[in-house]
Amino acid sequence: MSEECKAETALDILVGKWKPVILFHIFHKGTLRFSELQRLIPEISKKMLTTQLRELEYHDIIHRKVYAQVPPKVEYSITEYGKSIAPLMNSMHEWGLAHVKHLQEIYGEEALEKRSK
Amino acid sequence: MSEECKAETALDILVGKWKPVILFHIFHKGTLRFSELQRLIPEISKKMLTTQLRELEYHDIIHRKVYAQVPPKVEYSITEYGKSIAPLMNSMHEWGLAHVKHLQEIYGEEALEKRSK
DNA sequence: CCGGATCCTTTCTGATACTG
DNA sequence: CAGTATCAGAAAGGATCCGG
């Protein structure tokens, strides 16, 4: 790998089982608090949310603003640079939609859930 | 998740630590045998290569052609449908390249390897 | 209220040996 | 040659407790 295929780099950043959803919500609402994200994504654990946000922050995709106050308040937003993945996210979204249909055509409606890969 | 963000679907398919490289090679050469892939990607284990290929096959991205002969011969190639991810792969590749540069600008050359995410 | 630190369970990978 | 089977180690994810 390495040289030839930097698609991996992109994937590394988007991967993590929750980053797409997190990004989706932050993109959509502009700015969100930690607790708001928890509410929007009930299935995610605190730990996961924390680590995923940290990774996105490290990659300069989102910005983390801490308000020095009690009770604490932390807001997450897309960075200027972070906006550059929007087109890519959309492309993936589009392709994903089309692919779901394609799988249906091949395997039929039932096999949808199995995800046996 | 689910409804809103089908980017996950796309990610599911491309993710697997080796799929991007595998696809890269198959795209590049058109058709490859199992052993050729092993040689092109020395770090991958047989097991991994097998499972990754099977997943790609399930998703109708690649085709698996078995020759009934001794010694066995199996060739993998991109399906017609599979070609539809090419643009997406390229987009990811492009963005990945740009992102590596961006990270360098932020953290400097040294921090490249750390990948502490 | 936000999220760090720990512990524990589950899933994923890798190495090795074996088969048609 | 192209896998499958098995087993062990690593990594990812979840649950819980704690502190500012």
Side-chain angles (χ1 to χ4, degrees):
Chain A
M1 49 181 159
S2 60
E3 305 300 331
E4 330 95 348
C5 186
K6 285 302 179 197
E8 299 189 34
T9 307
L11 283 169
D12 281 350
I13 292 149
L14 281 329
V15 164
K17 190 180 179 183
W18 295 107
K19 294 210 192 75
V21 209
I22 294 172
L23 284 175
F24 175 84
H25 286 298
I26 302 184
F27 260 109
H28 190 66
K29 302 281 279 187
T31 298
L32 282 172
R33 299 185 55 176
F34 187 90
S35 53
E36 292 179 306
L37 281 166
Q38 279 194 100
R39 241 175 296 118
L40 289 169
I41 315 168
E43 320 93 306
I44 198 174
S45 67
K46 278 183 183 183
K47 180 185 174 184
M48 270 297 98
L49 184 53
T50 303
T51 63
Q52 303 281 292
L53 287 170
R54 284 293 189 290
E55 293 180 12
L56 290 171
E57 186 192 2
Y58 172 84
H59 283 286
D60 193 30
I61 308 295
I62 62 174
H63 176 68
R64 179 167 177 264
K65 180 167 186 179
V66 183
Y67 292 82
Q69 64 177 50
V70 176
K73 176 177 170 182
V74 181
E75 284 183 347
Y76 295 92
S77 54
I78 300 289
T79 61
E80 246 345 277
Y81 171 73
K83 291 175 184 170
S84 70
I85 32 161
L88 190 55
M89 293 281 293
N90 284 330
S91 298
M92 293 195 296
H93 178 72
E94 293 304 320
W95 190 82
L97 277 175
H99 187 64
V100 172
K101 282 189 190 172
H102 183 72
L103 283 186
Q104 286 181 15
E105 288 168 14
I106 300 177
Y107 298 108
E109 307 285 332
E110 339 74 38
L112 298 176
E113 310 308 315
K114 316 217 65 172
R115 311 296 278 104
S116 58
K117 280 191 171 179
Chain B
M1 47 185 161
S2 60
E3 305 299 332
E4 329 95 348
C5 186
K6 284 302 177 197
E8 300 190 34
T9 307
L11 283 169
D12 281 350
I13 292 148
L14 282 328
V15 165
K17 189 180 182 184
W18 297 106
K19 295 211 191 77
V21 209
I22 294 172
L23 285 175
F24 175 84
H25 286 298
I26 301 184
F27 260 109
H28 190 66
K29 303 281 278 189
T31 297
L32 283 172
R33 298 184 58 174
F34 189 87
S35 54
E36 292 179 306
L37 281 166
Q38 278 193 101
R39 242 175 296 117
L40 289 169
I41 318 169
E43 321 93 306
I44 198 173
S45 67
K46 277 185 183 183
K47 181 183 172 182
M48 270 296 98
L49 184 52
T50 302
T51 62
Q52 304 280 291
L53 287 170
R54 286 293 190 293
E55 292 179 12
L56 290 171
E57 186 191 2
Y58 172 84
H59 283 286
D60 192 30
I61 308 295
I62 63 174
H63 177 67
R64 179 167 177 265
K65 180 167 186 179
V66 183
Y67 293 81
Q69 64 177 52
V70 176
K73 175 176 169 182
V74 180
E75 285 181 346
Y76 294 92
S77 54
I78 301 289
T79 62
E80 242 352 271
Y81 171 74
K83 292 175 183 170
S84 70
I85 32 160
L88 191 54
M89 293 282 292
N90 284 330
S91 299
M92 293 195 297
H93 179 73
E94 293 303 320
W95 190 83
L97 277 175
H99 187 64
V100 171
K101 283 188 190 172
H102 183 72
L103 283 186
Q104 286 182 15
E105 289 169 13
I106 301 179
Y107 298 109
E109 307 285 333
E110 339 75 37
L112 298 176
E113 309 308 315
K114 316 218 64 172
R115 311 298 276 103
S116 57
K117 280 193 172 179

PDB file of all heavy atoms in Angstrom, chain A residues 33-35 46 50 54 64 72 74, chain C residues 1-8 12:
ATOM      1  N   ARG A  33     -23.534  20.543  20.855  1.00  0.00           N
ATOM      2  CA  ARG A  33     -22.894  20.236  22.136  1.00  0.00           C
ATOM      3  C   ARG A  33     -22.752  18.723  22.260  1.00  0.00           C
ATOM      4  O   ARG A  33     -23.437  17.958  21.580  1.00  0.00           O
ATOM      5  CB  ARG A  33     -23.741  20.757  23.294  1.00  0.00           C
ATOM      6  CG  ARG A  33     -23.912  22.243  23.256  1.00  0.00           C
ATOM      7  CD  ARG A  33     -24.639  22.726  24.486  1.00  0.00           C
ATOM      8  NE  ARG A  33     -23.971  22.303  25.707  1.00  0.00           N
ATOM      9  CZ  ARG A  33     -24.361  22.664  26.928  1.00  0.00           C
ATOM     10  NH1 ARG A  33     -25.414  23.460  27.057  1.00  0.00           N
ATOM     11  NH2 ARG A  33     -23.731  22.247  27.994  1.00  0.00           N
ATOM     12  N   PHE A  34     -21.887  18.349  23.153  1.00  0.00           N
ATOM     13  CA  PHE A  34     -21.656  16.918  23.381  1.00  0.00           C
ATOM     14  C   PHE A  34     -22.974  16.202  23.688  1.00  0.00           C
ATOM     15  O   PHE A  34     -23.304  15.184  23.081  1.00  0.00           O
ATOM     16  CB  PHE A  34     -20.689  16.748  24.552  1.00  0.00           C
ATOM     17  CG  PHE A  34     -20.243  15.329  24.781  1.00  0.00           C
ATOM     18  CD1 PHE A  34     -19.114  14.841  24.151  1.00  0.00           C
ATOM     19  CD2 PHE A  34     -20.951  14.496  25.637  1.00  0.00           C
ATOM     20  CE1 PHE A  34     -18.692  13.532  24.358  1.00  0.00           C
ATOM     21  CE2 PHE A  34     -20.537  13.184  25.838  1.00  0.00           C
ATOM     22  CZ  PHE A  34     -19.413  12.703  25.207  1.00  0.00           C
ATOM     23  N   SER A  35     -23.708  16.769  24.610  1.00  0.00           N
ATOM     24  CA  SER A  35     -24.970  16.134  25.022  1.00  0.00           C
ATOM     25  C   SER A  35     -25.990  16.095  23.895  1.00  0.00           C
ATOM     26  O   SER A  35     -26.795  15.171  23.806  1.00  0.00           O
ATOM     27  CB  SER A  35     -25.552  16.863  26.222  1.00  0.00           C
ATOM     28  OG  SER A  35     -25.663  18.244  25.941  1.00  0.00           O
ATOM     29  N   LYS A  46     -20.657   7.129  25.522  1.00  0.00           N
ATOM     30  CA  LYS A  46     -19.866   8.330  25.784  1.00  0.00           C
ATOM     31  C   LYS A  46     -18.456   8.153  25.269  1.00  0.00           C
ATOM     32  O   LYS A  46     -17.895   9.013  24.618  1.00  0.00           O
ATOM     33  CB  LYS A  46     -19.785   8.577  27.294  1.00  0.00           C
ATOM     34  CG  LYS A  46     -20.942   9.268  27.907  1.00  0.00           C
ATOM     35  CD  LYS A  46     -20.644   9.478  29.387  1.00  0.00           C
ATOM     36  CE  LYS A  46     -21.806  10.125  30.101  1.00  0.00           C
ATOM     37  NZ  LYS A  46     -21.460  10.379  31.510  1.00  0.00           N
ATOM     38  N   THR A  50     -16.623  10.370  22.540  1.00  0.00           N
ATOM     39  CA  THR A  50     -15.427  11.133  22.895  1.00  0.00           C
ATOM     40  C   THR A  50     -14.262  10.832  21.970  1.00  0.00           C
ATOM     41  O   THR A  50     -13.652  11.730  21.396  1.00  0.00           O
ATOM     42  CB  THR A  50     -14.992  10.805  24.338  1.00  0.00           C
ATOM     43  OG1 THR A  50     -16.064  11.087  25.223  1.00  0.00           O
ATOM     44  CG2 THR A  50     -13.788  11.639  24.726  1.00  0.00           C
ATOM     45  N   ARG A  54     -12.469  13.233  19.188  1.00  0.00           N
ATOM     46  CA  ARG A  54     -11.057  13.571  19.328  1.00  0.00           C
ATOM     47  C   ARG A  54     -10.304  13.299  18.027  1.00  0.00           C
ATOM     48  O   ARG A  54      -9.452  14.074  17.611  1.00  0.00           O
ATOM     49  CB  ARG A  54     -10.428  12.758  20.460  1.00  0.00           C
ATOM     50  CG  ARG A  54     -10.774  13.218  21.822  1.00  0.00           C
ATOM     51  CD  ARG A  54     -10.174  14.592  22.130  1.00  0.00           C
ATOM     52  NE  ARG A  54     -10.329  14.936  23.520  1.00  0.00           N
ATOM     53  CZ  ARG A  54     -11.468  15.224  24.103  1.00  0.00           C
ATOM     54  NH1 ARG A  54     -12.586  15.236  23.397  1.00  0.00           N
ATOM     55  NH2 ARG A  54     -11.521  15.508  25.383  1.00  0.00           N
ATOM     56  N   ARG A  64     -13.275  22.073  18.509  1.00  0.00           N
ATOM     57  CA  ARG A  64     -13.810  21.823  19.847  1.00  0.00           C
ATOM     58  C   ARG A  64     -13.649  23.078  20.687  1.00  0.00           C
ATOM     59  O   ARG A  64     -12.545  23.508  20.964  1.00  0.00           O
ATOM     60  CB  ARG A  64     -13.044  20.660  20.484  1.00  0.00           C
ATOM     61  CG  ARG A  64     -13.490  20.308  21.879  1.00  0.00           C
ATOM     62  CD  ARG A  64     -12.908  18.959  22.276  1.00  0.00           C
ATOM     63  NE  ARG A  64     -13.242  18.613  23.635  1.00  0.00           N
ATOM     64  CZ  ARG A  64     -12.429  18.849  24.676  1.00  0.00           C
ATOM     65  NH1 ARG A  64     -11.282  19.410  24.496  1.00  0.00           N
ATOM     66  NH2 ARG A  64     -12.817  18.504  25.893  1.00  0.00           N
ATOM     67  N   PRO A  72     -20.111  22.625  32.770  1.00  0.00           N
ATOM     68  CA  PRO A  72     -19.273  22.679  31.574  1.00  0.00           C
ATOM     69  C   PRO A  72     -20.105  22.732  30.309  1.00  0.00           C
ATOM     70  O   PRO A  72     -21.262  22.319  30.285  1.00  0.00           O
ATOM     71  CB  PRO A  72     -18.499  21.367  31.633  1.00  0.00           C
ATOM     72  CG  PRO A  72     -18.538  20.946  33.036  1.00  0.00           C
ATOM     73  CD  PRO A  72     -19.846  21.417  33.563  1.00  0.00           C
ATOM     74  N   VAL A  74     -19.341  22.236  26.027  1.00  0.00           N
ATOM     75  CA  VAL A  74     -18.392  22.036  24.936  1.00  0.00           C
ATOM     76  C   VAL A  74     -19.151  21.991  23.622  1.00  0.00           C
ATOM     77  O   VAL A  74     -20.116  21.240  23.500  1.00  0.00           O
ATOM     78  CB  VAL A  74     -17.593  20.731  25.114  1.00  0.00           C
ATOM     79  CG1 VAL A  74     -16.594  20.565  23.980  1.00  0.00           C
ATOM     80  CG2 VAL A  74     -16.885  20.720  26.454  1.00  0.00           C
TER      81      VAL A  74
ATOM     82  P    DC C   1     -27.211  17.536  32.954  1.00  0.00           P
ATOM     83  OP1  DC C   1     -27.637  17.584  31.568  1.00  0.00           O
ATOM     84  OP2  DC C   1     -26.830  16.300  33.604  1.00  0.00           O
ATOM     85  O5'  DC C   1     -26.067  18.673  33.190  1.00  0.00           O
ATOM     86  C5'  DC C   1     -26.032  19.795  32.343  1.00  0.00           C
ATOM     87  C4'  DC C   1     -24.668  19.898  31.659  1.00  0.00           C
ATOM     88  O4'  DC C   1     -23.640  19.668  32.658  1.00  0.00           O
ATOM     89  C3'  DC C   1     -24.464  18.815  30.595  1.00  0.00           C
ATOM     90  O3'  DC C   1     -23.746  19.372  29.492  1.00  0.00           O
ATOM     91  C2'  DC C   1     -23.629  17.754  31.289  1.00  0.00           C
ATOM     92  C1'  DC C   1     -22.823  18.564  32.288  1.00  0.00           C
ATOM     93  N1   DC C   1     -22.510  17.798  33.517  1.00  0.00           N
ATOM     94  C2   DC C   1     -21.207  17.824  34.012  1.00  0.00           C
ATOM     95  O2   DC C   1     -20.370  18.486  33.423  1.00  0.00           O
ATOM     96  N3   DC C   1     -20.913  17.117  35.119  1.00  0.00           N
ATOM     97  C4   DC C   1     -21.866  16.419  35.740  1.00  0.00           C
ATOM     98  N4   DC C   1     -21.530  15.746  36.843  1.00  0.00           N
ATOM     99  C5   DC C   1     -23.218  16.389  35.268  1.00  0.00           C
ATOM    100  C6   DC C   1     -23.498  17.084  34.165  1.00  0.00           C
ATOM    101  P    DC C   2     -23.344  18.554  28.177  1.00  0.00           P
ATOM    102  OP1  DC C   2     -23.408  19.476  27.037  1.00  0.00           O
ATOM    103  OP2  DC C   2     -24.107  17.297  28.143  1.00  0.00           O
ATOM    104  O5'  DC C   2     -21.818  18.231  28.438  1.00  0.00           O
ATOM    105  C5'  DC C   2     -20.880  19.311  28.473  1.00  0.00           C
ATOM    106  C4'  DC C   2     -19.500  18.774  28.757  1.00  0.00           C
ATOM    107  O4'  DC C   2     -19.486  18.146  30.057  1.00  0.00           O
ATOM    108  C3'  DC C   2     -19.007  17.724  27.760  1.00  0.00           C
ATOM    109  O3'  DC C   2     -17.722  18.089  27.317  1.00  0.00           O
ATOM    110  C2'  DC C   2     -19.001  16.437  28.567  1.00  0.00           C
ATOM    111  C1'  DC C   2     -18.763  16.944  29.985  1.00  0.00           C
ATOM    112  N1   DC C   2     -19.258  16.049  31.052  1.00  0.00           N
ATOM    113  C2   DC C   2     -18.395  15.662  32.088  1.00  0.00           C
ATOM    114  O2   DC C   2     -17.242  16.089  32.091  1.00  0.00           O
ATOM    115  N3   DC C   2     -18.867  14.830  33.060  1.00  0.00           N
ATOM    116  C4   DC C   2     -20.118  14.400  33.021  1.00  0.00           C
ATOM    117  N4   DC C   2     -20.534  13.582  33.991  1.00  0.00           N
ATOM    118  C5   DC C   2     -21.020  14.784  31.978  1.00  0.00           C
ATOM    119  C6   DC C   2     -20.553  15.601  31.015  1.00  0.00           C
ATOM    120  P    DG C   3     -16.940  17.308  26.166  1.00  0.00           P
ATOM    121  OP1  DG C   3     -15.918  18.207  25.618  1.00  0.00           O
ATOM    122  OP2  DG C   3     -17.945  16.705  25.298  1.00  0.00           O
ATOM    123  O5'  DG C   3     -16.176  16.167  26.957  1.00  0.00           O
ATOM    124  C5'  DG C   3     -15.033  16.514  27.741  1.00  0.00           C
ATOM    125  C4'  DG C   3     -14.622  15.305  28.536  1.00  0.00           C
ATOM    126  O4'  DG C   3     -15.682  14.922  29.430  1.00  0.00           O
ATOM    127  C3'  DG C   3     -14.339  14.057  27.677  1.00  0.00           C
ATOM    128  O3'  DG C   3     -13.171  13.431  28.172  1.00  0.00           O
ATOM    129  C2'  DG C   3     -15.524  13.170  27.998  1.00  0.00           C
ATOM    130  C1'  DG C   3     -15.652  13.520  29.468  1.00  0.00           C
ATOM    131  N9   DG C   3     -16.814  12.966  30.146  1.00  0.00           N
ATOM    132  C8   DG C   3     -18.086  12.765  29.673  1.00  0.00           C
ATOM    133  N7   DG C   3     -18.866  12.176  30.530  1.00  0.00           N
ATOM    134  C5   DG C   3     -18.060  11.982  31.638  1.00  0.00           C
ATOM    135  C6   DG C   3     -18.342  11.381  32.879  1.00  0.00           C
ATOM    136  O6   DG C   3     -19.393  10.879  33.270  1.00  0.00           O
ATOM    137  N1   DG C   3     -17.244  11.396  33.734  1.00  0.00           N
ATOM    138  C2   DG C   3     -16.001  11.926  33.405  1.00  0.00           C
ATOM    139  N2   DG C   3     -15.045  11.851  34.343  1.00  0.00           N
ATOM    140  N3   DG C   3     -15.727  12.491  32.249  1.00  0.00           N
ATOM    141  C4   DG C   3     -16.798  12.470  31.411  1.00  0.00           C
ATOM    142  P    DG C   4     -11.808  13.498  27.352  1.00  0.00           P
ATOM    143  OP1  DG C   4     -11.447  14.878  26.999  1.00  0.00           O
ATOM    144  OP2  DG C   4     -11.936  12.478  26.301  1.00  0.00           O
ATOM    145  O5'  DG C   4     -10.776  12.992  28.451  1.00  0.00           O
ATOM    146  C5'  DG C   4     -10.508  13.794  29.594  1.00  0.00           C
ATOM    147  C4'  DG C   4     -10.216  12.909  30.802  1.00  0.00           C
ATOM    148  O4'  DG C   4     -11.456  12.417  31.357  1.00  0.00           O
ATOM    149  C3'  DG C   4      -9.360  11.678  30.488  1.00  0.00           C
ATOM    150  O3'  DG C   4      -8.373  11.537  31.516  1.00  0.00           O
ATOM    151  C2'  DG C   4     -10.346  10.522  30.527  1.00  0.00           C
ATOM    152  C1'  DG C   4     -11.391  11.005  31.516  1.00  0.00           C
ATOM    153  N9   DG C   4     -12.744  10.500  31.255  1.00  0.00           N
ATOM    154  C8   DG C   4     -13.501  10.734  30.145  1.00  0.00           C
ATOM    155  N7   DG C   4     -14.671  10.176  30.205  1.00  0.00           N
ATOM    156  C5   DG C   4     -14.704   9.528  31.423  1.00  0.00           C
ATOM    157  C6   DG C   4     -15.713   8.750  32.035  1.00  0.00           C
ATOM    158  O6   DG C   4     -16.838   8.485  31.605  1.00  0.00           O
ATOM    159  N1   DG C   4     -15.324   8.268  33.280  1.00  0.00           N
ATOM    160  C2   DG C   4     -14.103   8.511  33.868  1.00  0.00           C
ATOM    161  N2   DG C   4     -13.907   7.968  35.062  1.00  0.00           N
ATOM    162  N3   DG C   4     -13.142   9.242  33.306  1.00  0.00           N
ATOM    163  C4   DG C   4     -13.504   9.715  32.089  1.00  0.00           C
ATOM    164  P    DA C   5      -7.238  10.426  31.328  1.00  0.00           P
ATOM    165  OP1  DA C   5      -6.031  10.921  32.017  1.00  0.00           O
ATOM    166  OP2  DA C   5      -7.176  10.009  29.909  1.00  0.00           O
ATOM    167  O5'  DA C   5      -7.836   9.218  32.178  1.00  0.00           O
ATOM    168  C5'  DA C   5      -8.241   9.440  33.532  1.00  0.00           C
ATOM    169  C4'  DA C   5      -8.501   8.093  34.198  1.00  0.00           C
ATOM    170  O4'  DA C   5      -9.869   7.686  33.955  1.00  0.00           O
ATOM    171  C3'  DA C   5      -7.616   6.952  33.705  1.00  0.00           C
ATOM    172  O3'  DA C   5      -7.220   6.165  34.823  1.00  0.00           O
ATOM    173  C2'  DA C   5      -8.516   6.179  32.744  1.00  0.00           C
ATOM    174  C1'  DA C   5      -9.900   6.415  33.344  1.00  0.00           C
ATOM    175  N9   DA C   5     -10.997   6.437  32.369  1.00  0.00           N
ATOM    176  C8   DA C   5     -10.995   7.047  31.138  1.00  0.00           C
ATOM    177  N7   DA C   5     -12.130   6.937  30.493  1.00  0.00           N
ATOM    178  C5   DA C   5     -12.939   6.197  31.358  1.00  0.00           C
ATOM    179  C6   DA C   5     -14.264   5.750  31.254  1.00  0.00           C
ATOM    180  N6   DA C   5     -15.048   5.989  30.211  1.00  0.00           N
ATOM    181  N1   DA C   5     -14.771   5.037  32.290  1.00  0.00           N
ATOM    182  C2   DA C   5     -13.976   4.800  33.349  1.00  0.00           C
ATOM    183  N3   DA C   5     -12.712   5.182  33.562  1.00  0.00           N
ATOM    184  C4   DA C   5     -12.248   5.885  32.516  1.00  0.00           C
ATOM    185  P    DT C   6      -6.211   4.908  34.627  1.00  0.00           P
ATOM    186  OP1  DT C   6      -5.160   5.034  35.648  1.00  0.00           O
ATOM    187  OP2  DT C   6      -5.865   4.784  33.197  1.00  0.00           O
ATOM    188  O5'  DT C   6      -7.128   3.656  35.012  1.00  0.00           O
ATOM    189  C5'  DT C   6      -8.520   3.840  35.056  1.00  0.00           C
ATOM    190  C4'  DT C   6      -9.231   2.581  35.542  1.00  0.00           C
ATOM    191  O4'  DT C   6     -10.534   2.588  34.924  1.00  0.00           O
ATOM    192  C3'  DT C   6      -8.580   1.264  35.151  1.00  0.00           C
ATOM    193  O3'  DT C   6      -8.817   0.288  36.163  1.00  0.00           O
ATOM    194  C2'  DT C   6      -9.263   0.914  33.836  1.00  0.00           C
ATOM    195  C1'  DT C   6     -10.663   1.497  34.017  1.00  0.00           C
ATOM    196  N1   DT C   6     -11.249   2.015  32.754  1.00  0.00           N
ATOM    197  C2   DT C   6     -12.582   1.795  32.526  1.00  0.00           C
ATOM    198  O2   DT C   6     -13.308   1.223  33.311  1.00  0.00           O
ATOM    199  N3   DT C   6     -13.040   2.289  31.326  1.00  0.00           N
ATOM    200  C4   DT C   6     -12.307   2.951  30.356  1.00  0.00           C
ATOM    201  O4   DT C   6     -12.849   3.342  29.333  1.00  0.00           O
ATOM    202  C5   DT C   6     -10.909   3.148  30.668  1.00  0.00           C
ATOM    203  C7   DT C   6     -10.045   3.863  29.707  1.00  0.00           C
ATOM    204  C6   DT C   6     -10.448   2.671  31.835  1.00  0.00           C
ATOM    205  P    DC C   7      -8.152  -1.168  36.029  1.00  0.00           P
ATOM    206  OP1  DC C   7      -7.748  -1.581  37.393  1.00  0.00           O
ATOM    207  OP2  DC C   7      -7.175  -1.174  34.923  1.00  0.00           O
ATOM    208  O5'  DC C   7      -9.409  -2.034  35.594  1.00  0.00           O
ATOM    209  C5'  DC C   7     -10.624  -1.964  36.364  1.00  0.00           C
ATOM    210  C4'  DC C   7     -11.717  -2.732  35.636  1.00  0.00           C
ATOM    211  O4'  DC C   7     -12.108  -2.003  34.447  1.00  0.00           O
ATOM    212  C3'  DC C   7     -11.267  -4.119  35.155  1.00  0.00           C
ATOM    213  O3'  DC C   7     -12.301  -5.064  35.428  1.00  0.00           O
ATOM    214  C2'  DC C   7     -11.065  -3.940  33.664  1.00  0.00           C
ATOM    215  C1'  DC C   7     -12.114  -2.882  33.349  1.00  0.00           C
ATOM    216  N1   DC C   7     -11.860  -2.083  32.116  1.00  0.00           N
ATOM    217  C2   DC C   7     -12.937  -1.776  31.264  1.00  0.00           C
ATOM    218  O2   DC C   7     -14.067  -2.174  31.570  1.00  0.00           O
ATOM    219  N3   DC C   7     -12.709  -1.065  30.140  1.00  0.00           N
ATOM    220  C4   DC C   7     -11.475  -0.653  29.858  1.00  0.00           C
ATOM    221  N4   DC C   7     -11.307   0.039  28.729  1.00  0.00           N
ATOM    222  C5   DC C   7     -10.371  -0.943  30.707  1.00  0.00           C
ATOM    223  C6   DC C   7     -10.612  -1.659  31.826  1.00  0.00           C
ATOM    224  P    DC C   8     -11.995  -6.642  35.237  1.00  0.00           P
ATOM    225  OP1  DC C   8     -12.137  -7.241  36.571  1.00  0.00           O
ATOM    226  OP2  DC C   8     -10.750  -6.826  34.443  1.00  0.00           O
ATOM    227  O5'  DC C   8     -13.197  -7.113  34.315  1.00  0.00           O
ATOM    228  C5'  DC C   8     -14.366  -6.287  34.132  1.00  0.00           C
ATOM    229  C4'  DC C   8     -15.011  -6.613  32.796  1.00  0.00           C
ATOM    230  O4'  DC C   8     -14.586  -5.651  31.796  1.00  0.00           O
ATOM    231  C3'  DC C   8     -14.662  -7.986  32.229  1.00  0.00           C
ATOM    232  O3'  DC C   8     -15.849  -8.577  31.709  1.00  0.00           O
ATOM    233  C2'  DC C   8     -13.660  -7.687  31.119  1.00  0.00           C
ATOM    234  C1'  DC C   8     -14.178  -6.336  30.634  1.00  0.00           C
ATOM    235  N1   DC C   8     -13.195  -5.496  29.922  1.00  0.00           N
ATOM    236  C2   DC C   8     -13.615  -4.809  28.766  1.00  0.00           C
ATOM    237  O2   DC C   8     -14.785  -4.933  28.374  1.00  0.00           O
ATOM    238  N3   DC C   8     -12.739  -4.034  28.101  1.00  0.00           N
ATOM    239  C4   DC C   8     -11.483  -3.909  28.555  1.00  0.00           C
ATOM    240  N4   DC C   8     -10.649  -3.128  27.873  1.00  0.00           N
ATOM    241  C5   DC C   8     -11.035  -4.595  29.731  1.00  0.00           C
ATOM    242  C6   DC C   8     -11.924  -5.368  30.387  1.00  0.00           C
ATOM    243  P    DC C  12     -15.844  -8.127  13.275  1.00  0.00           P
ATOM    244  OP1  DC C  12     -16.367  -7.086  12.364  1.00  0.00           O
ATOM    245  OP2  DC C  12     -16.209  -9.549  13.088  1.00  0.00           O
ATOM    246  O5'  DC C  12     -14.253  -8.006  13.315  1.00  0.00           O
ATOM    247  C5'  DC C  12     -13.668  -6.804  13.832  1.00  0.00           C
ATOM    248  C4'  DC C  12     -12.162  -6.887  13.725  1.00  0.00           C
ATOM    249  O4'  DC C  12     -11.629  -7.782  14.730  1.00  0.00           O
ATOM    250  C3'  DC C  12     -11.632  -7.394  12.384  1.00  0.00           C
ATOM    251  O3'  DC C  12     -10.546  -6.570  12.009  1.00  0.00           O
ATOM    252  C2'  DC C  12     -11.181  -8.818  12.702  1.00  0.00           C
ATOM    253  C1'  DC C  12     -10.727  -8.695  14.138  1.00  0.00           C
ATOM    254  N1   DC C  12     -10.768  -9.926  14.981  1.00  0.00           N
ATOM    255  C2   DC C  12      -9.622 -10.303  15.707  1.00  0.00           C
ATOM    256  O2   DC C  12      -8.596  -9.633  15.589  1.00  0.00           O
ATOM    257  N3   DC C  12      -9.680 -11.384  16.517  1.00  0.00           N
ATOM    258  C4   DC C  12     -10.804 -12.080  16.620  1.00  0.00           C
ATOM    259  N4   DC C  12     -10.809 -13.125  17.440  1.00  0.00           N
ATOM    260  C5   DC C  12     -11.983 -11.725  15.884  1.00  0.00           C
ATOM    261  C6   DC C  12     -11.914 -10.649  15.079  1.00  0.00           C
TER     262       DC C  12
END
